[in-house]
Amino acid sequence: MIEGVWPQPHMKGARASMLCLYNRKTKQFEVQELATPPKPAPALKDVWWQAEDIGGKGIIDRSDITLMIGSDGKIGGKSGCNGYSASYQITDDKLKITSPLIGTRMACAPALMNQEQNFQKLIETAVSFTISPEGALILQSADGATIKFVRK
């Protein structure tokens, strides 16, 4: 029995674990591809996420925009100088905010207020999410705009 990893042409350059068996009766080799266990899905809920960009624009320096999708059906966090919370529902990769974001609505510097308003608009209109291969959480709004979060 020989075990190894070889390039597989049908996999467009990907590599697969293969098992090579020699059958003494038939005096032939049999090659079988070994099943690889699926990678565990990264945790989405009860993890603090920090925004890296909003609609492709970087976060203003020293501004903290965080998000937690709780197991209790609540979403919350901080954007700029305001906190917020809402209820949500997840079905497959669809995310629906079921109540408006309730925030503290404190006045921030104009640039932070603009960023915060963009953030809240995107969160309130979120329709889907993905977890990138690098483990980033990407929320997409109804108009196609995105927010990219990394684990905090």
Side-chain angles (χ1 to χ4, degrees), residues 76-85 101-106 116 120:
K78 179 182 175 208
S79 88
C81 55
N82 287 298
Y84 59 89
S85 67
L101 282 179
I102 299 169
T104 53
R105 306 288 185 215
M106 293 175 55
E116 186 172 308
Q120 289 185 355

Side-chain angles (χ1 to χ4, degrees), residues 38-122:
K39 291 182 181 178
L44 172 69
K45 296 180 183 178
D46 300 326
V47 172
W48 278 105
W49 298 93
Q50 183 161 357
E52 268 197 352
D53 71 60
I54 299 172
K57 296 179 182 172
I59 303 302
I60 295 173
D61 190 34
R62 294 184 301 251
S63 175
D64 193 24
I65 297 183
T66 60
L67 171 79
M68 181 185 275
I69 300 172
S71 294
D72 61 356
K74 302 287 183 198
I75 190 170
K78 179 182 175 208
S79 88
C81 55
N82 287 298
Y84 59 89
S85 67
S87 297
Y88 75 90
Q89 292 177 338
I90 290 180
T91 307
D92 298 322
D93 65 344
K94 306 291 182 229
L95 173 68
K96 180 177 179 174
I97 304 299
T98 57
S99 65
L101 282 179
I102 299 169
T104 53
R105 306 288 185 215
M106 293 175 55
C108 300
L112 284 178
M113 286 298 288
N114 187 37
Q115 175 179 270
E116 186 172 308
Q117 288 169 351
N118 289 337
F119 172 76
Q120 289 185 355
K121 177 185 170 211
L122 286 172

Side-chain angles (χ1 to χ4, degrees), residues 4-24:
V5 178
W6 294 276
Q8 297 297 301
H10 69 283
M11 296 172 65
K12 298 183 181 166
R15 296 166 64 91
S17 293
M18 306 297 287
L19 184 62
C20 183
L21 303 169
Y22 179 71
N23 186 325
R24 284 190 226 179

Side-chain angles (χ1 to χ4, degrees), residues 116-148:
E116 186 172 308
Q117 288 169 351
N118 289 337
F119 172 76
Q120 289 185 355
K121 177 185 170 211
L122 286 172
I123 290 289
E124 287 176 340
T125 61
V127 292
S128 66
F129 68 90
T130 57
I131 304 256
S132 73
E134 301 82 35
L137 170 64
I138 301 169
L139 295 183
Q140 185 173 18
S141 71
D143 66 2
T146 62
I147 303 175
K148 180 180 178 185

